[in-house]
Amino acid sequence: MDPIRNPYAPGAGQRPPELAGRDRELKQFEVTLERVAAGRPDRSMVLSGLRGVGKTVLLNALRSLAVKRAWGTGKIEARPDQSLRLPLAQAVHAAVREVAHRHRDPDRVDQVAGVLKAFALRTELKDRKGARWQPPIEVLAAKGRADSGDLELDLIELFTDVASLAGDLGVGIALFVDEMQDIPVAELAAVCGACHEISQQGAPLIVVGAGLPHLPVALAASKSYAERLFRYVVVDRLPREMAERAWTLPAASEDATYEPKALDELYRLTDGYPYFVQAYGKVTWDVAVESPITWSDVMQAAPEAEAELAVGFFGARYDRATPAERDYMIAMADLGEGIDDLAVRTADVARLLGRRPQSLSPARDGLIKKGLVFSGERGTVAFTVPHFGKFLRSQR
């Protein structure tokens, strides 16, 4: 098959040609946008799931829906070592720019820009290092508005003002936060507090977050009412029917088909995880000589697809770990064999390594910080990457 016309797109956050299995989430968000713009109460949204299930792709698709409705939008990717204030200011600035040019009152726009500048200027010096973005320089910073230094209070005032500006146009502001679990607890609490106040005001502003499976737990720990503040959506692997759509519809656009046995094997190999669906689809297409694509084509492509995943998807993550962290993950993989690499008890990891659980805390915490494992329940850990345990066992 012509590799130039290959219709599959494995990539970090890259939208596949067929966004299969996400229709429900997209329709829900369309309703949210319409309700909020009309002044009716609705909740912000949080997406959670393992790596490779398409959270970032879905987050970007939701943002596209907001853009189509002329909302102001901004997006950030949270980092564990970075304060949230400046990235949030950047995201809000992008959102304001998308609505400001349509506003008929330039003085009102400048007033909101001044509040945004005041908010941004309260960023501590250590958090400004390396930042190339500067707050709007053509306006004076407001005084006494969003500049207290208390992040929650400042966010409430900033969100109130930018939402009001968008509301003048009959639209809203949508802020999208990827890797939301990496926001420090105190700042996560501030975001929840601000979202809570904004929702009580009925102001047209929503926050859409995406993160690893323990994100809902982190939000609930930061604010007790967070479990009622957001609509939680678990982004999971695709059921068989949706995975087939992800393979067959793009192929059909290039006048190609699959034999049923080939689709059976592809689903067995990928378990329906969207990143794997695209990775195996791409390599299989390149291997196949003609349509229909056969089981033999899939089997011939599988080793190459596995090798690419071993380097780019699994290997790159494994290489980030220290020797102690690698030992910890290998023990997790051994314990996870036979149980589909579900969560294992930290006490069992310690027992297998012949160590006291407390002595392994630095390794476990380091893996959590690097986003390689997560703890959904106290005393347990699981891989954030599907098939990671299988990959580790295969390296012996």
Side-chain angles (χ1 to χ4, degrees), residues 57-96:
V57 170
L58 181 54
L59 195 71
N60 291 337
L62 297 177
R63 184 181 183 184
S64 294
L65 290 178
V67 170
K68 287 179 181 177
R69 283 161 177 74
W71 278 47
T73 68
K75 182 185 174 185
I76 68 171
E77 181 178 316
R79 299 176 183 175
D81 57 348
Q82 182 181 47
S83 170
L84 195 60
R85 185 178 284 264
L86 192 58
L88 263 179
Q90 291 174 283
V92 172
H93 185 234
V96 168

Side-chain angles (χ1 to χ4, degrees), residues 240-255:
R240 172 64 185 266
E241 179 185 0
M242 292 297 106
E244 284 194 17
R245 277 183 56 184
W247 285 309
T248 59
L249 292 186
S253 70
E254 298 295 336
D255 298 321

